[in-house]
Amino acid sequence: MKPAPHTFSRRAIIKAAAATTVLGNSMLQQLSAAGKKLPASLKGKVNHSVCRWCYQSIPLDDLCKAAKDIGITAIDLVGPDDWPVLRRYGLYASLSHGAGRGIEEGFNNPGLHDELVAGYAAMIPRVAAAGYSQLICFSGNRRGLDDEQGIKNCARGLKRLMKTAEQYGVTLVMELLNSKVDHPDYQCDTTEWGVALCNEVGSERFKLLYDIYHMQIMEGDVIATIRKYHRYIAHYHTGGVPGRNEIDETQELYYPAIMKAIVETGFTGFVAQEFIPQHPNPLTSLRQAIKICDVG
């Protein structure tokens, strides 16, 4: 059965708020433990992760077991309810969710600032207490708002959270999404807009999630953009273009070259697989994707 469309599944999962607090080890401790168990076939220059929502048909325990076997050290886009499962398998939460209203209603709406600030201010310490360091956020849809005002609005709300984020060592990561195919009207839809917002916020605890699939659709020129703006990027997502399916020879991007460019920037964060598998065995596609992206 073909998985549910990205625009539905992602929104439903990200909007789900979690309700438990979990204490954990530091990122360094968890990655060190996971790294000691990497398969000998992996080169070790890329920190591999996988987005949970793409494998909803697979119980999380089974996905974690498979991830460990493949050499993946983290699970992406998970909230507090899932953290205890990850810890059971020695896996890291590379990008957490659990605050905000989702993709369409974000920081570009000043009318939501009080609610968003309260939610993120409560979630940031929980992420830190669990030993994690990244929390996803979104600009929201334009709804007639021009880009310059959207940057000002987002920055005004985000600046209210930077002291807390800096105190707890948690980075708020805003995702770059395409507004042509998957997320019509979404405002943070180009790298330059996101970079302008980073400069306006002015904190190392606010950065971008560069989704390769989305940005290939919006602007192309992926490798040159990564080289130019890498210092603003805290996280990467993959996906085949067109269709957000496997990242193999069936699509237009050549991921070995993209991954090599990422490694050459000195990036030490996570690259998370976020494609919707079409193979009858989704884990076969996941294993292949890790092999493709594991450059030396």
Side-chain angles (χ1 to χ4, degrees), residues 105-249:
E105 298 182 275
F107 282 94
N108 65 356
N109 183 350
L112 296 177
H113 281 180
D114 287 348
E115 176 186 336
L116 292 175
V117 169
Y120 277 90
M123 192 64 187
I124 287 169
R126 297 177 68 188
V127 171
Y132 309 135
S133 64
Q134 295 193 146
L135 180 61
I136 196 167
C137 66
F138 301 96
S139 67
N141 287 2
R142 287 182 173 85
R143 296 185 172 88
L145 188 67
D146 69 64
D147 281 351
E148 184 176 352
Q149 191 60 50
I151 289 171
K152 291 179 180 178
N153 289 355
C154 283
R156 190 179 307 126
L158 289 163
K159 282 180 178 179
R160 292 171 60 181
L161 288 163
M162 288 304 101
K163 184 176 180 179
T164 302
E166 290 161 3
Q167 176 185 350
Y168 286 96
V170 172
T171 302
L172 297 188
V173 184
M174 182 171 285
E175 185 164 13
L176 297 161
L177 299 168
N178 84 75
S179 58
K180 287 183 178 179
V181 177
D182 298 284
H183 301 284
D185 203 43
Y186 184 72
Q187 189 146 46
C188 187
D189 62 354
T190 67
T191 308
E192 287 191 353
W193 192 94
V195 167
L197 176 57
C198 287
N199 287 331
E200 188 74 17
V201 173
S203 171
E204 286 299 304
R205 287 301 170 183
F206 176 75
K207 289 188 179 291
L208 302 175
L209 160 48
Y210 186 88
D211 189 301
I212 298 164
Y213 161 80
H214 286 296
M215 291 301 97
Q216 169 67 2
I217 290 173
M218 285 303 298
E219 58 193 22
D221 211 17
V222 169
I223 290 176
T225 301
I226 288 169
R227 287 172 174 164
K228 183 176 182 180
Y229 294 121
H230 65 89
R231 71 185 184 92
Y232 297 94
I233 299 169
H235 202 70
Y236 289 91
H237 278 172
T238 74
V241 181
R244 191 182 270 288
N245 301 131
E246 277 80 354
I247 61 170
D248 56 18
E249 70 281 355

Side-chain angles (χ1 to χ4, degrees), residues 57-75:
S57 64
I58 301 175
L60 183 56
D61 278 273
D62 292 343
L63 180 62
C64 288
K65 291 174 186 175
K68 292 285 288 185
D69 179 61
I70 293 169
I72 293 168
T73 56
I75 307 293

